[in-house]
PDB file of all heavy atoms in Angstrom:
ATOM      1  N   MET A 125     -11.703  45.649  16.141  1.00  0.00           N
ATOM      2  CA  MET A 125     -11.570  46.788  17.049  1.00  0.00           C
ATOM      3  C   MET A 125     -11.553  46.285  18.490  1.00  0.00           C
ATOM      4  O   MET A 125     -12.353  45.426  18.866  1.00  0.00           O
ATOM      5  CB  MET A 125     -12.717  47.767  16.875  1.00  0.00           C
ATOM      6  CG  MET A 125     -12.500  49.049  17.661  1.00  0.00           C
ATOM      7  SD  MET A 125     -13.767  50.270  17.385  1.00  0.00           S
ATOM      8  CE  MET A 125     -14.972  49.744  18.564  1.00  0.00           C
ATOM      9  N   ILE A 126     -10.621  46.814  19.289  1.00  0.00           N
ATOM     10  CA  ILE A 126     -10.473  46.426  20.684  1.00  0.00           C
ATOM     11  C   ILE A 126     -10.566  47.675  21.549  1.00  0.00           C
ATOM     12  O   ILE A 126      -9.882  48.665  21.286  1.00  0.00           O
ATOM     13  CB  ILE A 126      -9.119  45.736  20.923  1.00  0.00           C
ATOM     14  CG1 ILE A 126      -9.028  44.457  20.077  1.00  0.00           C
ATOM     15  CG2 ILE A 126      -8.914  45.419  22.397  1.00  0.00           C
ATOM     16  CD1 ILE A 126      -7.658  43.841  20.040  1.00  0.00           C
ATOM     17  N   ASP A 127     -11.406  47.612  22.585  1.00  0.00           N
ATOM     18  CA  ASP A 127     -11.490  48.690  23.569  1.00  0.00           C
ATOM     19  C   ASP A 127     -10.542  48.353  24.704  1.00  0.00           C
ATOM     20  O   ASP A 127     -10.723  47.354  25.395  1.00  0.00           O
ATOM     21  CB  ASP A 127     -12.920  48.831  24.083  1.00  0.00           C
ATOM     22  CG  ASP A 127     -13.094  50.043  24.987  1.00  0.00           C
ATOM     23  OD1 ASP A 127     -12.133  50.819  25.138  1.00  0.00           O
ATOM     24  OD2 ASP A 127     -14.197  50.205  25.542  1.00  0.00           O
ATOM     25  N   ALA A 128      -9.500  49.167  24.901  1.00  0.00           N
ATOM     26  CA  ALA A 128      -8.444  48.864  25.865  1.00  0.00           C
ATOM     27  C   ALA A 128      -8.739  49.344  27.279  1.00  0.00           C
ATOM     28  O   ALA A 128      -7.864  49.268  28.135  1.00  0.00           O
ATOM     29  CB  ALA A 128      -7.134  49.472  25.379  1.00  0.00           C
ATOM     30  N   THR A 129      -9.945  49.802  27.549  1.00  0.00           N
ATOM     31  CA  THR A 129     -10.281  50.312  28.876  1.00  0.00           C
ATOM     32  C   THR A 129     -10.121  49.218  29.925  1.00  0.00           C
ATOM     33  O   THR A 129     -10.791  48.196  29.874  1.00  0.00           O
ATOM     34  CB  THR A 129     -11.724  50.840  28.908  1.00  0.00           C
ATOM     35  OG1 THR A 129     -11.870  51.805  27.872  1.00  0.00           O
ATOM     36  CG2 THR A 129     -12.047  51.480  30.244  1.00  0.00           C
ATOM     37  N   GLY A 130      -9.205  49.434  30.878  1.00  0.00           N
ATOM     38  CA  GLY A 130      -9.009  48.504  31.986  1.00  0.00           C
ATOM     39  C   GLY A 130      -8.240  47.244  31.650  1.00  0.00           C
ATOM     40  O   GLY A 130      -8.091  46.365  32.499  1.00  0.00           O
ATOM     41  N   LEU A 131      -7.726  47.117  30.427  1.00  0.00           N
ATOM     42  CA  LEU A 131      -6.984  45.918  30.047  1.00  0.00           C
ATOM     43  C   LEU A 131      -5.523  46.016  30.470  1.00  0.00           C
ATOM     44  O   LEU A 131      -4.927  47.097  30.465  1.00  0.00           O
ATOM     45  CB  LEU A 131      -7.056  45.685  28.539  1.00  0.00           C
ATOM     46  CG  LEU A 131      -8.426  45.365  27.958  1.00  0.00           C
ATOM     47  CD1 LEU A 131      -8.333  45.217  26.445  1.00  0.00           C
ATOM     48  CD2 LEU A 131      -8.992  44.102  28.571  1.00  0.00           C
ATOM     49  N   VAL A 132      -4.916  44.878  30.818  1.00  0.00           N
ATOM     50  CA  VAL A 132      -3.504  44.812  31.182  1.00  0.00           C
ATOM     51  C   VAL A 132      -2.682  44.878  29.892  1.00  0.00           C
ATOM     52  O   VAL A 132      -2.978  44.167  28.919  1.00  0.00           O
ATOM     53  CB  VAL A 132      -3.215  43.511  31.956  1.00  0.00           C
ATOM     54  CG1 VAL A 132      -1.737  43.389  32.276  1.00  0.00           C
ATOM     55  CG2 VAL A 132      -4.040  43.462  33.235  1.00  0.00           C
ATOM     56  N   VAL A 133      -1.652  45.724  29.881  1.00  0.00           N
ATOM     57  CA  VAL A 133      -0.884  46.003  28.664  1.00  0.00           C
ATOM     58  C   VAL A 133      -0.269  44.752  28.044  1.00  0.00           C
ATOM     59  O   VAL A 133      -0.438  44.506  26.852  1.00  0.00           O
ATOM     60  CB  VAL A 133       0.240  47.024  28.950  1.00  0.00           C
ATOM     61  CG1 VAL A 133       1.091  47.247  27.717  1.00  0.00           C
ATOM     62  CG2 VAL A 133      -0.336  48.319  29.397  1.00  0.00           C
ATOM     63  N   GLY A 134       0.439  43.954  28.816  1.00  0.00           N
ATOM     64  CA  GLY A 134       1.127  42.787  28.275  1.00  0.00           C
ATOM     65  C   GLY A 134       0.177  41.765  27.691  1.00  0.00           C
ATOM     66  O   GLY A 134       0.441  41.176  26.648  1.00  0.00           O
ATOM     67  N   ARG A 135      -0.947  41.539  28.364  1.00  0.00           N
ATOM     68  CA  ARG A 135      -1.924  40.560  27.892  1.00  0.00           C
ATOM     69  C   ARG A 135      -2.611  41.056  26.620  1.00  0.00           C
ATOM     70  O   ARG A 135      -2.877  40.275  25.708  1.00  0.00           O
ATOM     71  CB  ARG A 135      -2.941  40.254  28.981  1.00  0.00           C
ATOM     72  CG  ARG A 135      -2.324  39.415  30.080  1.00  0.00           C
ATOM     73  CD  ARG A 135      -3.279  39.185  31.228  1.00  0.00           C
ATOM     74  NE  ARG A 135      -2.769  38.140  32.072  1.00  0.00           N
ATOM     75  CZ  ARG A 135      -3.047  36.848  31.930  1.00  0.00           C
ATOM     76  NH1 ARG A 135      -3.851  36.445  30.966  1.00  0.00           N
ATOM     77  NH2 ARG A 135      -2.541  35.953  32.731  1.00  0.00           N
ATOM     78  N   LEU A 136      -2.875  42.352  26.559  1.00  0.00           N
ATOM     79  CA  LEU A 136      -3.432  42.941  25.342  1.00  0.00           C
ATOM     80  C   LEU A 136      -2.437  42.806  24.194  1.00  0.00           C
ATOM     81  O   LEU A 136      -2.790  42.415  23.084  1.00  0.00           O
ATOM     82  CB  LEU A 136      -3.774  44.412  25.582  1.00  0.00           C
ATOM     83  CG  LEU A 136      -4.119  45.267  24.366  1.00  0.00           C
ATOM     84  CD1 LEU A 136      -5.438  44.819  23.761  1.00  0.00           C
ATOM     85  CD2 LEU A 136      -4.173  46.725  24.742  1.00  0.00           C
ATOM     86  N   ALA A 137      -1.161  43.105  24.479  1.00  0.00           N
ATOM     87  CA  ALA A 137      -0.128  43.087  23.447  1.00  0.00           C
ATOM     88  C   ALA A 137       0.084  41.695  22.860  1.00  0.00           C
ATOM     89  O   ALA A 137       0.278  41.550  21.650  1.00  0.00           O
ATOM     90  CB  ALA A 137       1.183  43.624  24.002  1.00  0.00           C
ATOM     91  N   THR A 138       0.018  40.647  23.676  1.00  0.00           N
ATOM     92  CA  THR A 138       0.225  39.295  23.157  1.00  0.00           C
ATOM     93  C   THR A 138      -0.895  38.898  22.200  1.00  0.00           C
ATOM     94  O   THR A 138      -0.634  38.328  21.136  1.00  0.00           O
ATOM     95  CB  THR A 138       0.311  38.248  24.282  1.00  0.00           C
ATOM     96  OG1 THR A 138      -0.862  38.338  25.091  1.00  0.00           O
ATOM     97  CG2 THR A 138       1.531  38.459  25.123  1.00  0.00           C
ATOM     98  N   ILE A 139      -2.127  39.230  22.561  1.00  0.00           N
ATOM     99  CA  ILE A 139      -3.265  38.882  21.711  1.00  0.00           C
ATOM    100  C   ILE A 139      -3.223  39.661  20.397  1.00  0.00           C
ATOM    101  O   ILE A 139      -3.449  39.110  19.320  1.00  0.00           O
ATOM    102  CB  ILE A 139      -4.588  39.124  22.469  1.00  0.00           C
ATOM    103  CG1 ILE A 139      -4.692  38.118  23.620  1.00  0.00           C
ATOM    104  CG2 ILE A 139      -5.787  39.003  21.546  1.00  0.00           C
ATOM    105  CD1 ILE A 139      -5.762  38.407  24.620  1.00  0.00           C
ATOM    106  N   VAL A 140      -2.884  40.953  20.486  1.00  0.00           N
ATOM    107  CA  VAL A 140      -2.823  41.791  19.283  1.00  0.00           C
ATOM    108  C   VAL A 140      -1.665  41.353  18.381  1.00  0.00           C
ATOM    109  O   VAL A 140      -1.811  41.303  17.151  1.00  0.00           O
ATOM    110  CB  VAL A 140      -2.710  43.285  19.657  1.00  0.00           C
ATOM    111  CG1 VAL A 140      -2.446  44.132  18.430  1.00  0.00           C
ATOM    112  CG2 VAL A 140      -3.966  43.741  20.360  1.00  0.00           C
ATOM    113  N   ALA A 141      -0.513  41.016  18.965  1.00  0.00           N
ATOM    114  CA  ALA A 141       0.633  40.565  18.167  1.00  0.00           C
ATOM    115  C   ALA A 141       0.290  39.282  17.414  1.00  0.00           C
ATOM    116  O   ALA A 141       0.666  39.120  16.240  1.00  0.00           O
ATOM    117  CB  ALA A 141       1.853  40.351  19.053  1.00  0.00           C
ATOM    118  N   MET A 142      -0.443  38.374  18.051  1.00  0.00           N
ATOM    119  CA  MET A 142      -0.868  37.138  17.381  1.00  0.00           C
ATOM    120  C   MET A 142      -1.817  37.460  16.228  1.00  0.00           C
ATOM    121  O   MET A 142      -1.721  36.864  15.152  1.00  0.00           O
ATOM    122  CB  MET A 142      -1.581  36.224  18.374  1.00  0.00           C
ATOM    123  CG  MET A 142      -0.685  35.676  19.447  1.00  0.00           C
ATOM    124  SD  MET A 142       0.079  34.134  19.004  1.00  0.00           S
ATOM    125  CE  MET A 142      -1.297  33.031  19.141  1.00  0.00           C
ATOM    126  N   ARG A 143      -2.736  38.407  16.442  1.00  0.00           N
ATOM    127  CA  ARG A 143      -3.682  38.809  15.398  1.00  0.00           C
ATOM    128  C   ARG A 143      -2.968  39.457  14.220  1.00  0.00           C
ATOM    129  O   ARG A 143      -3.314  39.228  13.063  1.00  0.00           O
ATOM    130  CB  ARG A 143      -4.704  39.797  15.959  1.00  0.00           C
ATOM    131  CG  ARG A 143      -5.746  39.167  16.806  1.00  0.00           C
ATOM    132  CD  ARG A 143      -6.930  38.867  15.944  1.00  0.00           C
ATOM    133  NE  ARG A 143      -7.889  38.077  16.700  1.00  0.00           N
ATOM    134  CZ  ARG A 143      -9.016  37.649  16.200  1.00  0.00           C
ATOM    135  NH1 ARG A 143      -9.344  37.925  14.958  1.00  0.00           N
ATOM    136  NH2 ARG A 143      -9.832  36.929  16.918  1.00  0.00           N
ATOM    137  N   LEU A 144      -1.977  40.325  14.509  1.00  0.00           N
ATOM    138  CA  LEU A 144      -1.248  41.009  13.440  1.00  0.00           C
ATOM    139  C   LEU A 144      -0.451  40.024  12.584  1.00  0.00           C
ATOM    140  O   LEU A 144      -0.337  40.189  11.375  1.00  0.00           O
ATOM    141  CB  LEU A 144      -0.311  42.064  14.028  1.00  0.00           C
ATOM    142  CG  LEU A 144      -0.965  43.318  14.596  1.00  0.00           C
ATOM    143  CD1 LEU A 144       0.074  44.178  15.289  1.00  0.00           C
ATOM    144  CD2 LEU A 144      -1.677  44.101  13.522  1.00  0.00           C
ATOM    145  N   VAL A 162      -5.897  45.766  13.041  1.00  0.00           N
ATOM    146  CA  VAL A 162      -6.362  45.917  14.415  1.00  0.00           C
ATOM    147  C   VAL A 162      -6.442  47.394  14.781  1.00  0.00           C
ATOM    148  O   VAL A 162      -5.496  48.150  14.555  1.00  0.00           O
ATOM    149  CB  VAL A 162      -5.424  45.178  15.399  1.00  0.00           C
ATOM    150  CG1 VAL A 162      -5.910  45.330  16.828  1.00  0.00           C
ATOM    151  CG2 VAL A 162      -5.320  43.707  15.034  1.00  0.00           C
ATOM    152  N   ILE A 163      -7.589  47.783  15.343  1.00  0.00           N
ATOM    153  CA  ILE A 163      -7.802  49.141  15.837  1.00  0.00           C
ATOM    154  C   ILE A 163      -7.943  49.047  17.349  1.00  0.00           C
ATOM    155  O   ILE A 163      -8.764  48.286  17.853  1.00  0.00           O
ATOM    156  CB  ILE A 163      -9.095  49.745  15.256  1.00  0.00           C
ATOM    157  CG1 ILE A 163      -9.067  49.723  13.738  1.00  0.00           C
ATOM    158  CG2 ILE A 163      -9.309  51.159  15.779  1.00  0.00           C
ATOM    159  CD1 ILE A 163     -10.420  49.927  13.107  1.00  0.00           C
ATOM    160  N   ILE A 164      -7.139  49.822  18.080  1.00  0.00           N
ATOM    161  CA  ILE A 164      -7.240  49.857  19.538  1.00  0.00           C
ATOM    162  C   ILE A 164      -7.670  51.259  19.940  1.00  0.00           C
ATOM    163  O   ILE A 164      -7.012  52.240  19.579  1.00  0.00           O
ATOM    164  CB  ILE A 164      -5.905  49.496  20.212  1.00  0.00           C
ATOM    165  CG1 ILE A 164      -5.483  48.088  19.812  1.00  0.00           C
ATOM    166  CG2 ILE A 164      -6.014  49.615  21.726  1.00  0.00           C
ATOM    167  CD1 ILE A 164      -4.134  47.668  20.322  1.00  0.00           C
ATOM    168  N   VAL A 165      -8.774  51.351  20.678  1.00  0.00           N
ATOM    169  CA  VAL A 165      -9.258  52.645  21.169  1.00  0.00           C
ATOM    170  C   VAL A 165      -9.132  52.686  22.689  1.00  0.00           C
ATOM    171  O   VAL A 165      -9.016  51.650  23.339  1.00  0.00           O
ATOM    172  CB  VAL A 165     -10.728  52.902  20.741  1.00  0.00           C
ATOM    173  CG1 VAL A 165     -10.823  53.061  19.246  1.00  0.00           C
ATOM    174  CG2 VAL A 165     -11.644  51.814  21.215  1.00  0.00           C
ATOM    175  N   ASN A 166      -9.170  53.883  23.251  1.00  0.00           N
ATOM    176  CA  ASN A 166      -9.023  54.122  24.697  1.00  0.00           C
ATOM    177  C   ASN A 166      -7.694  53.597  25.226  1.00  0.00           C
ATOM    178  O   ASN A 166      -7.626  53.029  26.312  1.00  0.00           O
ATOM    179  CB  ASN A 166     -10.188  53.508  25.476  1.00  0.00           C
ATOM    180  CG  ASN A 166     -11.478  54.226  25.216  1.00  0.00           C
ATOM    181  OD1 ASN A 166     -11.516  55.444  25.097  1.00  0.00           O
ATOM    182  ND2 ASN A 166     -12.566  53.464  25.109  1.00  0.00           N
ATOM    183  N   ALA A 167      -6.615  53.811  24.491  1.00  0.00           N
ATOM    184  CA  ALA A 167      -5.296  53.342  24.911  1.00  0.00           C
ATOM    185  C   ALA A 167      -4.798  54.072  26.150  1.00  0.00           C
ATOM    186  O   ALA A 167      -3.936  53.556  26.862  1.00  0.00           O
ATOM    187  CB  ALA A 167      -4.298  53.510  23.776  1.00  0.00           C
ATOM    188  N   LYS A 169      -6.416  54.448  28.784  1.00  0.00           N
ATOM    189  CA  LYS A 169      -7.044  53.837  29.957  1.00  0.00           C
ATOM    190  C   LYS A 169      -6.540  52.427  30.235  1.00  0.00           C
ATOM    191  O   LYS A 169      -7.182  51.662  30.943  1.00  0.00           O
ATOM    192  CB  LYS A 169      -8.567  53.809  29.770  1.00  0.00           C
ATOM    193  CG  LYS A 169      -9.174  55.186  29.663  1.00  0.00           C
ATOM    194  CD  LYS A 169     -10.660  55.114  29.454  1.00  0.00           C
ATOM    195  CE  LYS A 169     -11.239  56.514  29.279  1.00  0.00           C
ATOM    196  NZ  LYS A 169     -12.654  56.471  28.931  1.00  0.00           N
ATOM    197  N   ILE A 170      -5.375  52.078  29.706  1.00  0.00           N
ATOM    198  CA  ILE A 170      -4.801  50.757  29.956  1.00  0.00           C
ATOM    199  C   ILE A 170      -4.249  50.696  31.376  1.00  0.00           C
ATOM    200  O   ILE A 170      -4.048  51.714  32.026  1.00  0.00           O
ATOM    201  CB  ILE A 170      -3.679  50.432  28.951  1.00  0.00           C
ATOM    202  CG1 ILE A 170      -2.657  51.561  28.920  1.00  0.00           C
ATOM    203  CG2 ILE A 170      -4.226  50.161  27.590  1.00  0.00           C
ATOM    204  CD1 ILE A 170      -1.281  51.075  28.892  1.00  0.00           C
ATOM    205  N   VAL A 171      -3.970  49.480  31.842  1.00  0.00           N
ATOM    206  CA  VAL A 171      -3.500  49.277  33.208  1.00  0.00           C
ATOM    207  C   VAL A 171      -2.181  48.525  33.179  1.00  0.00           C
ATOM    208  O   VAL A 171      -2.018  47.565  32.429  1.00  0.00           O
ATOM    209  CB  VAL A 171      -4.542  48.469  34.019  1.00  0.00           C
ATOM    210  CG1 VAL A 171      -4.050  48.207  35.426  1.00  0.00           C
ATOM    211  CG2 VAL A 171      -5.872  49.193  34.046  1.00  0.00           C
ATOM    212  N   GLU A 207      -0.706  56.532  23.803  1.00  0.00           N
ATOM    213  CA  GLU A 207      -0.842  55.289  23.051  1.00  0.00           C
ATOM    214  C   GLU A 207       0.504  54.644  22.732  1.00  0.00           C
ATOM    215  O   GLU A 207       0.563  53.483  22.328  1.00  0.00           O
ATOM    216  CB  GLU A 207      -1.647  55.520  21.766  1.00  0.00           C
ATOM    217  CG  GLU A 207      -1.046  56.458  20.768  1.00  0.00           C
ATOM    218  CD  GLU A 207      -1.437  57.925  20.975  1.00  0.00           C
ATOM    219  OE1 GLU A 207      -2.013  58.272  22.001  1.00  0.00           O
ATOM    220  OE2 GLU A 207      -1.121  58.719  20.065  1.00  0.00           O
ATOM    221  N   VAL A 209       2.780  53.582  24.715  1.00  0.00           N
ATOM    222  CA  VAL A 209       3.065  52.448  25.598  1.00  0.00           C
ATOM    223  C   VAL A 209       2.521  51.169  24.971  1.00  0.00           C
ATOM    224  O   VAL A 209       3.201  50.138  24.931  1.00  0.00           O
ATOM    225  CB  VAL A 209       2.450  52.681  27.004  1.00  0.00           C
ATOM    226  CG1 VAL A 209       2.557  51.436  27.853  1.00  0.00           C
ATOM    227  CG2 VAL A 209       3.140  53.845  27.694  1.00  0.00           C
ATOM    228  N   VAL A 210       1.305  51.226  24.452  1.00  0.00           N
ATOM    229  CA  VAL A 210       0.688  50.062  23.815  1.00  0.00           C
ATOM    230  C   VAL A 210       1.418  49.723  22.517  1.00  0.00           C
ATOM    231  O   VAL A 210       1.708  48.555  22.237  1.00  0.00           O
ATOM    232  CB  VAL A 210      -0.809  50.322  23.539  1.00  0.00           C
ATOM    233  CG1 VAL A 210      -1.446  49.151  22.832  1.00  0.00           C
ATOM    234  CG2 VAL A 210      -1.539  50.627  24.827  1.00  0.00           C
ATOM    235  N   GLU A 211       1.751  50.730  21.724  1.00  0.00           N
ATOM    236  CA  GLU A 211       2.450  50.499  20.460  1.00  0.00           C
ATOM    237  C   GLU A 211       3.801  49.813  20.681  1.00  0.00           C
ATOM    238  O   GLU A 211       4.146  48.875  19.973  1.00  0.00           O
ATOM    239  CB  GLU A 211       2.663  51.824  19.723  1.00  0.00           C
ATOM    240  CG  GLU A 211       1.401  52.403  19.134  1.00  0.00           C
ATOM    241  CD  GLU A 211       1.595  53.814  18.586  1.00  0.00           C
ATOM    242  OE1 GLU A 211       2.721  54.362  18.699  1.00  0.00           O
ATOM    243  OE2 GLU A 211       0.625  54.363  18.047  1.00  0.00           O
ATOM    244  N   ALA A 213       4.758  48.007  23.299  1.00  0.00           N
ATOM    245  CA  ALA A 213       4.571  46.652  23.816  1.00  0.00           C
ATOM    246  C   ALA A 213       4.283  45.674  22.683  1.00  0.00           C
ATOM    247  O   ALA A 213       4.833  44.569  22.647  1.00  0.00           O
ATOM    248  CB  ALA A 213       3.430  46.633  24.835  1.00  0.00           C
ATOM    249  N   ILE A 214       3.452  46.089  21.730  1.00  0.00           N
ATOM    250  CA  ILE A 214       3.109  45.223  20.603  1.00  0.00           C
ATOM    251  C   ILE A 214       4.291  45.102  19.645  1.00  0.00           C
ATOM    252  O   ILE A 214       4.616  44.009  19.172  1.00  0.00           O
ATOM    253  CB  ILE A 214       1.860  45.759  19.875  1.00  0.00           C
ATOM    254  CG1 ILE A 214       0.656  45.693  20.813  1.00  0.00           C
ATOM    255  CG2 ILE A 214       1.600  44.988  18.590  1.00  0.00           C
ATOM    256  CD1 ILE A 214      -0.538  46.473  20.351  1.00  0.00           C
ATOM    257  N   MET A 217       6.851  42.619  20.665  1.00  0.00           N
ATOM    258  CA  MET A 217       6.433  41.218  20.640  1.00  0.00           C
ATOM    259  C   MET A 217       6.449  40.648  19.221  1.00  0.00           C
ATOM    260  O   MET A 217       6.274  39.449  19.051  1.00  0.00           O
ATOM    261  CB  MET A 217       5.048  41.061  21.254  1.00  0.00           C
ATOM    262  CG  MET A 217       5.084  41.213  22.736  1.00  0.00           C
ATOM    263  SD  MET A 217       3.556  40.767  23.484  1.00  0.00           S
ATOM    264  CE  MET A 217       3.921  41.211  25.172  1.00  0.00           C
ATOM    265  N   LEU A 231      -1.614  48.059  12.413  1.00  0.00           N
ATOM    266  CA  LEU A 231      -2.065  48.409  13.762  1.00  0.00           C
ATOM    267  C   LEU A 231      -2.370  49.897  13.825  1.00  0.00           C
ATOM    268  O   LEU A 231      -1.584  50.726  13.368  1.00  0.00           O
ATOM    269  CB  LEU A 231      -0.971  48.069  14.782  1.00  0.00           C
ATOM    270  CG  LEU A 231      -1.202  48.511  16.215  1.00  0.00           C
ATOM    271  CD1 LEU A 231      -2.329  47.696  16.843  1.00  0.00           C
ATOM    272  CD2 LEU A 231       0.061  48.365  17.026  1.00  0.00           C
ATOM    273  N   VAL A 233      -3.617  52.669  16.796  1.00  0.00           N
ATOM    274  CA  VAL A 233      -3.879  52.868  18.216  1.00  0.00           C
ATOM    275  C   VAL A 233      -4.312  54.309  18.430  1.00  0.00           C
ATOM    276  O   VAL A 233      -3.653  55.242  17.952  1.00  0.00           O
ATOM    277  CB  VAL A 233      -2.622  52.559  19.067  1.00  0.00           C
ATOM    278  CG1 VAL A 233      -2.931  52.675  20.544  1.00  0.00           C
ATOM    279  CG2 VAL A 233      -2.091  51.169  18.750  1.00  0.00           C
ATOM    280  N   LEU A 249     -13.821  42.980  19.294  1.00  0.00           N
ATOM    281  CA  LEU A 249     -13.193  41.833  19.945  1.00  0.00           C
ATOM    282  C   LEU A 249     -13.070  42.163  21.424  1.00  0.00           C
ATOM    283  O   LEU A 249     -12.384  43.115  21.794  1.00  0.00           O
ATOM    284  CB  LEU A 249     -11.817  41.548  19.338  1.00  0.00           C
ATOM    285  CG  LEU A 249     -11.033  40.397  19.941  1.00  0.00           C
ATOM    286  CD1 LEU A 249     -11.755  39.077  19.662  1.00  0.00           C
ATOM    287  CD2 LEU A 249      -9.632  40.344  19.387  1.00  0.00           C
ATOM    288  N   ASP A 250     -13.756  41.388  22.279  1.00  0.00           N
ATOM    289  CA  ASP A 250     -13.754  41.647  23.720  1.00  0.00           C
ATOM    290  C   ASP A 250     -12.709  40.761  24.379  1.00  0.00           C
ATOM    291  O   ASP A 250     -12.935  39.573  24.609  1.00  0.00           O
ATOM    292  CB  ASP A 250     -15.146  41.392  24.303  1.00  0.00           C
ATOM    293  CG  ASP A 250     -15.283  41.978  25.695  1.00  0.00           C
ATOM    294  OD1 ASP A 250     -14.334  42.636  26.163  1.00  0.00           O
ATOM    295  OD2 ASP A 250     -16.349  41.772  26.313  1.00  0.00           O
ATOM    296  N   ILE A 251     -11.561  41.341  24.691  1.00  0.00           N
ATOM    297  CA  ILE A 251     -10.459  40.599  25.296  1.00  0.00           C
ATOM    298  C   ILE A 251     -10.717  40.340  26.780  1.00  0.00           C
ATOM    299  O   ILE A 251     -10.253  39.353  27.331  1.00  0.00           O
ATOM    300  CB  ILE A 251      -9.135  41.357  25.078  1.00  0.00           C
ATOM    301  CG1 ILE A 251      -8.803  41.320  23.591  1.00  0.00           C
ATOM    302  CG2 ILE A 251      -8.006  40.761  25.882  1.00  0.00           C
ATOM    303  CD1 ILE A 251      -7.583  42.051  23.199  1.00  0.00           C
ATOM    304  N   ALA A 252     -11.480  41.205  27.424  1.00  0.00           N
ATOM    305  CA  ALA A 252     -11.754  41.058  28.851  1.00  0.00           C
ATOM    306  C   ALA A 252     -12.491  39.761  29.155  1.00  0.00           C
ATOM    307  O   ALA A 252     -12.331  39.181  30.233  1.00  0.00           O
ATOM    308  CB  ALA A 252     -12.566  42.248  29.353  1.00  0.00           C
ATOM    309  N   LYS A 257      -7.884  37.476  34.109  1.00  0.00           N
ATOM    310  CA  LYS A 257      -6.643  38.207  34.388  1.00  0.00           C
ATOM    311  C   LYS A 257      -6.362  39.304  33.377  1.00  0.00           C
ATOM    312  O   LYS A 257      -5.432  40.088  33.547  1.00  0.00           O
ATOM    313  CB  LYS A 257      -5.461  37.243  34.419  1.00  0.00           C
ATOM    314  CG  LYS A 257      -5.506  36.268  35.569  1.00  0.00           C
ATOM    315  CD  LYS A 257      -4.287  35.373  35.516  1.00  0.00           C
ATOM    316  CE  LYS A 257      -4.278  34.383  36.655  1.00  0.00           C
ATOM    317  NZ  LYS A 257      -3.100  33.512  36.572  1.00  0.00           N
ATOM    318  N   ASN A 258      -7.127  39.358  32.293  1.00  0.00           N
ATOM    319  CA  ASN A 258      -6.901  40.364  31.245  1.00  0.00           C
ATOM    320  C   ASN A 258      -7.300  41.760  31.687  1.00  0.00           C
ATOM    321  O   ASN A 258      -6.878  42.739  31.067  1.00  0.00           O
ATOM    322  CB  ASN A 258      -7.669  39.988  29.976  1.00  0.00           C
ATOM    323  CG  ASN A 258      -7.045  38.802  29.280  1.00  0.00           C
ATOM    324  OD1 ASN A 258      -5.982  38.330  29.643  1.00  0.00           O
ATOM    325  ND2 ASN A 258      -7.725  38.306  28.265  1.00  0.00           N
ATOM    326  N   THR A 259      -8.145  41.885  32.722  1.00  0.00           N
ATOM    327  CA  THR A 259      -8.555  43.199  33.186  1.00  0.00           C
ATOM    328  C   THR A 259      -8.159  43.401  34.642  1.00  0.00           C
ATOM    329  O   THR A 259      -8.083  42.457  35.421  1.00  0.00           O
ATOM    330  CB  THR A 259     -10.085  43.373  33.086  1.00  0.00           C
ATOM    331  OG1 THR A 259     -10.706  42.372  33.883  1.00  0.00           O
ATOM    332  CG2 THR A 259     -10.545  43.291  31.666  1.00  0.00           C
TER     333      THR A 259
END
Side-chain angles (χ1 to χ4, degrees):
M125 188 176 85
I126 299 169
D127 187 5
T129 305
L131 295 178
V132 177
V133 176
R135 287 176 166 269
L136 169 68
T138 55
I139 292 167
V140 172
M142 293 270 286
R143 284 266 172 181
L144 288 173
V162 180
I163 304 164
I164 300 175
V165 293
N166 291 322
K169 297 179 183 174
I170 52 137
V171 178
E207 63 271 11
V209 171
V210 178
E211 288 172 358
I214 295 166
M217 287 190 185
L231 173 70
V233 184
L249 179 66
D250 195 4
I251 292 178
K257 293 181 180 179
N258 288 353
T259 59

